[in-house]
Amino acid sequence: MKLLLFIGFTILFFHNANAQLVNIESQRMQKDSVRFALKSDLLFNYTDNNGAYILAIGSNITTQVKSKDLNKIFFFYWQL
């Protein structure tokens, strides 16, 4: 029963899940003595396309956290 339930949830999850492979090397922050770093960007684009006005607003948030022993680096990237 547990196996059937696990397979059902797995199929539902993978059916609705999507992913994208991106090169995040340019977003990475190298701070030797800091355990937590946060960087954010606000993007604004306004275009007049033959009378059709397009306004696009977006943001990027990048967070880098180091473990207590400073050996592991965790990198999180959000794009809204």
Side-chain angles (χ1 to χ4, degrees):
M1 180 66 180
K2 289 182 182 179
L3 181 62
L4 185 61
L5 192 59
F6 175 74
I7 291 172
F9 279 124
T10 304
I11 290 171
L12 283 175
F13 175 74
F14 285 115
H15 183 275
N16 295 325
N18 58 19
Q20 180 181 5
L21 181 63
V22 283
N23 184 4
I24 58 171
E25 191 66 30
S26 64
Q27 298 294 325
R28 192 159 69 125
M29 299 171 281
Q30 287 293 334
K31 306 287 183 194
D32 290 334
S33 60
V34 178
R35 286 191 55 218
F36 179 80
L38 178 69
K39 179 178 138 183
S40 65
D41 298 319
L42 181 64
L43 310 167
F44 178 78
N45 187 13
Y46 176 77
T47 305
D48 179 6
N49 190 4
N50 295 330
Y53 301 106
I54 301 171
L55 176 65
I57 299 173
S59 65
N60 297 329
I61 300 172
T62 306
T63 306
Q64 179 177 302
V65 181
K66 289 187 180 181
S67 62
K68 288 186 179 182
D69 60 0
L70 300 176
N71 287 334
K72 297 178 185 137
I73 298 175
F74 301 98
F75 185 74
F76 303 101
Y77 182 75
W78 294 275
Q79 185 174 13
L80 304 173

